[in-house]
Amino acid sequence: MTSVPANTPTGAGFQNPDFPNHFGPNDARVIIYGYTPSFALCIVAIVLFAISFGLHLFQLIRYRVCFFTPLALACFLETIGYTFRSLSSKQNPYSIIWFVVQYFLIVVSPVFISASIYVCINRLIPWAKSVGYTLDQWHLRPKLILWGFVTVDIVTTIMQITGAALIGKSQSDRKDPTTGNNILLAGLVIQSFSFTIFLAVWTLFRIALGSDSALKPMVRSKDQFILALAVANVLVYLRTIFRLAETAEGVFGTISTNETLFGCLEFTPVAIAVWILAAWHPGRWLPKIIDETKGTSPSATLENGSAEEK
């Protein structure tokens, strides 16, 4: 067996005696996770996300709503991410490539869930106006909400990808990963702030819907869908705050090296969110909502939503 370099950390979770490090060309000196990933967690995640991907893809085709492709894509990326994580668990937890790939996919996937939620409120606001709600005083502009938050997500995702890549390269080169971590942290800070604003916008929208007692029966029939979106919103936000706290603490911090926290605050919220959106899929609800007021076919209405963003 290859001898361990003198400067290799030996703290708890950095090395696993069941996986001696052979210091291959793509191996880190230590287990970057801070622990050996749980294979059981990986399998559960792969099964849940793979099934949810099938459900979202089926509904995407059935309801012909290409706007919600990001939902299916998020589930697919999560499935691949946890597959690479399982390779770390069973074959080589020191592999930098497997760590970077799983980290990148699991970090980026929830952005696509958020994008789908942005589309939903972009469709709900015109519906609310068409059935009699006066939302002008709330300054809720569908087009601005959609493209404003999507733009922020694109920029912050690029920052997170860049940061994650630099962290991986630093680990590969045996260098300090602080620069990459700071870039990743900046992306998460901006994303968290943006999502906080979005939750405030969503709250204003829901308050506005409850402000007119005469129109409450119209809202009541859609409350299931609106509540499902709200819960998915909060779950994705919870996960984002967890990632922010983890990154702020730095590589090998207490949070990043605790897989229980990862399972509870990364895997669980995202898994529940995608299953909620599978059960209350926008493809089933939004065509009905818009069709009530436009008198057009559901698929045509969704594909030509620009007229409703005025």
Side-chain angles (χ1 to χ4, degrees):
M1 184 177 68
T2 306
S3 61
V4 179
N7 61 346
T8 301
T10 56
F14 287 120
Q15 294 182 350
N16 186 337
D18 295 329
F19 287 97
N21 192 342
H22 297 289
F23 301 100
N26 296 315
D27 290 348
R29 293 179 296 114
V30 294
I31 298 176
I32 306 176
Y33 299 92
Y35 53 82
T36 301
S38 166
F39 186 67
L41 174 62
C42 293
I43 293 302
V44 171
I46 291 169
V47 170
L48 289 179
F49 284 119
I51 294 174
S52 63
F53 168 67
L55 291 173
H56 281 292
L57 185 62
F58 170 75
Q59 295 184 92
L60 184 68
I61 296 171
R62 179 181 180 184
Y63 299 113
R64 294 177 293 168
V65 282
C66 66
F67 282 103
F68 305 110
T69 301
L71 276 175
L73 180 59
C75 297
F76 177 75
L77 294 180
E78 290 279 0
T79 303
I80 301 302
Y82 281 98
T83 298
F84 273 89
R85 190 177 174 91
S86 70
L87 292 176
S88 292
S89 173
K90 276 296 184 182
Q91 295 188 21
N92 183 12
Y94 299 94
S95 173
I96 295 172
I97 293 176
W98 292 346
F99 172 82
V100 171
V101 172
Q102 66 85 34
Y103 185 86
F104 163 72
L105 294 178
I106 293 173
V107 164
V108 169
S109 298
V111 173
F112 294 101
I113 301 174
S114 300
S116 296
I117 294 174
Y118 299 154
V119 172
C120 290
I121 194 169
N122 181 59
R123 304 296 174 184
L124 284 167
I125 291 174
W127 165 77
K129 289 182 177 180
S130 69
V131 297
Y133 282 97
T134 304
L135 300 178
D136 292 340
Q137 72 272 25
W138 301 94
H139 304 290
L140 299 175
R141 301 288 183 265
K143 186 177 291 186
L144 178 61
I145 290 172
L146 176 62
W147 293 112
F149 287 111
V150 166
T151 300
V152 172
D153 269 1
I154 290 173
V155 172
T156 55
T157 298
I158 292 173
M159 293 175 68
Q160 290 174 57
I161 292 171
T162 302
L166 288 175
I167 290 173
K169 189 176 187 307
S170 297
Q171 293 294 338
S172 178
D173 296 340
R174 277 65 167 171
K175 294 181 179 179
D176 185 0
T178 300
T179 299
N181 193 75
N182 287 341
I183 294 174
L184 178 61
L185 177 60
L188 284 167
V189 168
I190 297 171
Q191 185 182 52
S192 299
F193 179 70
S194 172
F195 209 88
T196 301
I197 294 175
F198 178 74
L199 287 178
V201 170
W202 182 270
T203 302
L204 284 176
F205 174 67
R206 189 60 189 89
I207 291 173
L209 292 185
S211 63
D212 192 332
S213 58
L215 295 173
K216 282 185 177 179
M218 292 290 294
V219 178
R220 193 172 296 118
S221 62
K222 312 297 183 293
D223 256 347
Q224 279 189 50
F225 178 61
I226 294 173
L227 178 60
L229 286 178
V231 173
N233 258 324
V234 172
L235 289 169
V236 174
Y237 183 66
L238 174 64
R239 172 262 168 202
T240 302
I241 295 301
F242 162 70
R243 281 298 188 182
L244 176 61
E246 175 193 58
T247 308
E249 198 177 44
V251 179
F252 300 130
T254 304
I255 297 176
S256 66
T257 57
N258 188 322
E259 191 173 25
T260 300
L261 291 178
F262 174 87
C264 293
L265 298 175
E266 167 65 48
F267 160 68
T268 302
V270 176
I272 294 175
V274 297
W275 276 88
I276 286 175
L277 293 172
W280 286 273
H281 193 273
R284 293 207 312 273
W285 289 85
L286 288 183
K288 295 177 184 177
I289 287 173
I290 299 175
D291 197 40
E292 286 177 4
T293 59
K294 301 301 289 185
T296 58
S297 68
S299 59
T301 303
L302 278 174
E303 298 295 336
N304 299 281
S306 59
E308 299 177 23
E309 295 171 355
K310 297 179 181 178

